[in-house]
Amino acid sequence: MKKTSLILVLMTLTSCYFSTNESGGKIIDNFYLIGWDERDWQIVYSLNNKIYEPEKIIIQHDVFAVGHEKDFIIAKQHPCANTSPHLVDFDSLKPNIKITNYYIIKIMQGENNYQLHKYKNEKDFIKGRMNLGVPENLEYKFYDEKLE
């Protein structure tokens, strides 16, 4: 009886830790879009499906648009308004919607083979798309209108 009670209490106390509020899914290959409480979206790269480990994050919160095809992932992100280092203080995760960062991830063959390109404005992003050969018709498939 004591063991059963202890297990029940421990499960209750750790329910948030064991993925109850985590969401996300595969973008393509080893790239995933993850979030907590269906917000604070991030892009991670993981070869072993351990996608909720901080060291796997390649684009921090708040990603609000993602598109992909076999060779490229494109994304838009508002950086966090809290500029001090933080990972799990969810109360401090507030996007600075005055700033939009643009990303292109070039997917290459082999393990850990991708290039991450970051652009501070849409004009440079469009130039980057042309220079890297990102198809013009590649559109965003995920779009969080609350963050736009």
Side-chain angles (χ1 to χ4, degrees), residues 4-62:
T4 304
S5 297
L6 180 62
I7 290 172
L8 194 59
V9 168
L10 289 175
M11 286 177 61
T12 303
L13 292 175
T14 61
S15 64
C16 285
Y17 182 76
F18 289 111
S19 306
T20 59
N21 62 346
E22 297 169 347
S23 58
K26 184 179 270 198
I27 298 172
I28 189 170
D29 296 336
N30 298 307
F31 296 91
Y32 299 83
L33 180 66
I34 63 167
W36 285 263
D37 295 329
E38 295 186 9
R39 63 182 189 91
D40 306 321
W41 296 105
Q42 303 180 52
I43 295 179
V44 299
Y45 179 80
S46 177
L47 297 172
N48 60 7
N49 293 332
K50 293 184 179 179
I51 61 176
Y52 295 103
E53 295 177 352
E55 64 272 7
K56 309 284 183 168
I57 299 169
I58 59 174
I59 302 178
Q60 295 275 342
H61 56 81
D62 282 293

Side-chain angles (χ1 to χ4, degrees), residues 62-115:
D62 282 293
V63 174
F64 67 95
V66 179
H68 74 278
E69 54 98 38
K70 66 180 181 63
D71 296 316
F72 296 99
I73 298 170
I74 57 173
K76 290 184 189 182
Q77 173 245 22
H78 294 305
C80 189
N82 179 0
T83 57
S84 62
H86 59 281
L87 284 176
V88 292
D89 180 9
F90 294 112
D91 292 332
S92 69
L93 303 178
K94 295 181 180 28
N96 181 349
I97 60 172
K98 294 178 182 176
I99 300 172
T100 301
N101 294 316
Y102 299 82
Y103 293 88
I104 299 172
I105 301 171
K106 183 177 181 181
I107 302 168
M108 300 179 299
Q109 298 299 315
E111 251 182 53
N112 293 323
N113 282 332
Y114 66 90
Q115 293 176 345

